Amino acid sequence: MRAWYLGCVNDDARYAAIAARDPRFDGVFFVAVSTTGIYCRPVCPARTPGRARCTFYDTAALAEAAGYRACFRCRPELAPGNADVDAVDNLVAAAAARIGEGALNDGSVDDLAAQLGVSDRHLRRAMEARLGVSPVALAQTRRLGMAKQLLHDTALSLTEIAFAAGFGSVRRFNAVFQEVMGSSPSQLRRTHVERVQRGDVRGLSLRLDYRPPLDWDELLGFLAARAIPGVEVVADGAYRRVVHVDGTAGAIAVRRADRRNALELSIDPALVPVVMPLVARVRRLFDLDARPDVIGRVLGRDPFLAPAIARRPGLRVPGAVDGFEAAVRALLGQQVSVAAATTLAGRFAAQLGAPLDRDPDARDGLARRFPTAAEVAACSPAAIAKIGLPSARAAAIHALATAVAGGALRFDGAHHLDAFVAAACALPGVGPWTAHYLAMRALHVPDAFPAADLGVRKALAGASVREAEARAEAWRPFRSYAVMHLWASLGGSDDRSRADDRPIPDRPAPPRRAGRRADPPVPAAARRGDRGRAGHVAGARARRRAARRVLRR
């Protein structure tokens, strides 16, 4: 939502931002220089151009449509994106996200519109009104950006880069690149790219920029507590996992870069053909397109949250690489601790997932991929229950898999929060807590709020569900970030560790009957039936008290 510019609503204020190289505005807008024909990020290290030579654009696609080419120094293709949150932009944001994942590489605008539940004409009109470019033009900008990044950062051949970036042919790739960038891909690699290792592409690494600050330790801690054995591993300051994208499986590793506001993504060679959707999913997993300055400004208005914002200004909302995996994990986590849910998720993946075909020398703990919705739907609820689940919970997971496999529930379309919650709650075993948790992580909605969550209510001094919802109205449109701050405020307590996995409904105490005293609790030793002296004594005392109550009646 471009109105969140912290007052940066005119070109003079934008020029002041680029003169200061303010990282808060990185990716929020781009500056084009008329004398050079180049457009840059606000943080470009080049000498600041004169004010009269600058033109400002909200998106890279608009700058390219005006005839400018991307800067080779600041590399606009690496700029963080923007997460729009208002209702009008919901469709456009969803379409842009799908295009960023490569939806138009093999499909058409008509196909994308159908997936989002609108007509192709409405989609084109909405995107042109909001972004100033058509879906096809935006897709071309994203392809060129991915190709330019692969040229800079990898030793892949031009043919591999062309297809990995979504171009249908090498000839088309060369022609579009020459037209927009002003040079051929081979010329760019020779003249502007630092030397890269040729031959073996193991350890292929890409740079993912973000706006600082980023609370990397808290983010890793959250993921570590929920890492599925055999599928995810957090160790030595890095996050590793097996991913399955469009039928292709492989391993990735993500760690923080040493001297940049960026993460380093290492991928298996097998994942090169799906690198475009993979990068989009990893950015969503680590919430790299967030605006921490804007989020902090909104939430910091509340005196209750202000200290938490000051302590952790870079706290993010972890997303999900696979929406179905996050949904299953949420169902497994109902009414159990995080540790127990993690154990169940490991059994689930071991029983229903597929082993990963890897180098036998790899000893990083990654062994299998998580099963797809179609694979789980093909199993019976009884087979799912064998991992140690109640039959009702197994049936709920099977119903979820059936809905996702059949397209009744989607994690990649345009969803209004209330509509998604209603659709999710129509499934057995899914209530408002689970639906809002899924909206936070699987859909990455910034305004979800699981009000019934135990950790949220504890952080709010034992507030009821209604009291928590009322309190959270002041935190819109970033209630998901408020939830993360509330969970983090609980420190390392046991309640915090299962805060997002235990929906606790409001249950008023049963009314007492007039004229009768409440029965005193039976001692724990008596309840357990201990055979020692303490158990016998406590049990005898309890029986004597019960007998006296009977006589008084």
Side-chain angles (χ1 to χ4, degrees), residues 297-390:
R297 183 168 65 95
V298 172
L299 298 183
R301 295 169 182 166
D302 188 328
F304 180 80
L305 279 182
I309 302 298
R311 284 193 301 269
R312 293 184 173 89
L315 199 61
R316 305 296 174 103
V317 176
V321 170
D322 181 354
F324 174 68
E325 176 188 305
V328 172
R329 177 66 174 73
L331 288 177
L332 291 174
Q334 290 178 345
Q335 299 179 342
V336 299
S337 68
V338 169
T342 299
T343 300
L344 290 173
R347 295 176 188 170
F348 188 89
Q351 179 169 315
L352 303 178
L356 183 64
D357 184 15
R358 300 188 69 198
D359 184 345
D361 294 332
R363 300 183 182 276
D364 51 10
L366 302 179
R368 61 188 64 87
R369 65 168 176 80
F370 200 81
T372 65
E375 290 169 340
V376 177
C379 299
S380 65
I384 298 174
K386 288 181 180 180
I387 68 171
L389 290 178

Side-chain angles (χ1 to χ4, degrees), residues 241-245 248-252 268 270-271 356 358 366 369:
R241 69 159 294 140
V242 179
V243 296
H244 187 226
V245 182
T248 301
I252 65 170
D268 280 353
L271 294 170
L356 183 64
R358 300 188 69 198
L366 302 179
R369 65 168 176 80

Side-chain angles (χ1 to χ4, degrees), residues 93-106 112 115 138-139 142-143 146 164-166 245-246 273-285 320-323 410-413 442-444:
R98 296 284 292 124
I99 291 172
E101 293 184 7
L104 297 187
N105 291 348
D106 299 315
L112 177 59
Q115 293 173 10
L138 179 61
R142 296 294 172 84
R143 292 190 198 106
M146 176 56 66
V245 182
D246 297 336
V274 293
V275 66
M276 194 171 184
L278 175 60
V279 167
R281 296 187 187 193
V282 173
R283 293 194 66 88
R284 187 164 60 243
L285 172 63
V321 170
D322 181 354
R410 300 179 63 92
F411 298 112
D412 59 355
L443 296 185
H444 214 252

Side-chain angles (χ1 to χ4, degrees), residues 16 51 125 129 153 267 408 418 447 462 504 531 545:
R51 172 67 183 84
R125 185 168 51 197
D153 296 341
I267 67 174
D418 294 337
D447 199 37
I504 305 297
R531 296 180 181 180
R545 285 195 296 268

Side-chain angles (χ1 to χ4, degrees), residues 195-216:
R195 185 180 65 84
V196 294
Q197 295 293 327
R198 302 286 173 176
D200 188 6
V201 296
R202 286 183 295 180
L204 184 68
S205 181
L206 297 175
R207 188 178 117 199
L208 307 180
D209 288 21
Y210 59 81
R211 300 180 190 90
L214 173 71
D215 196 335
W216 178 245

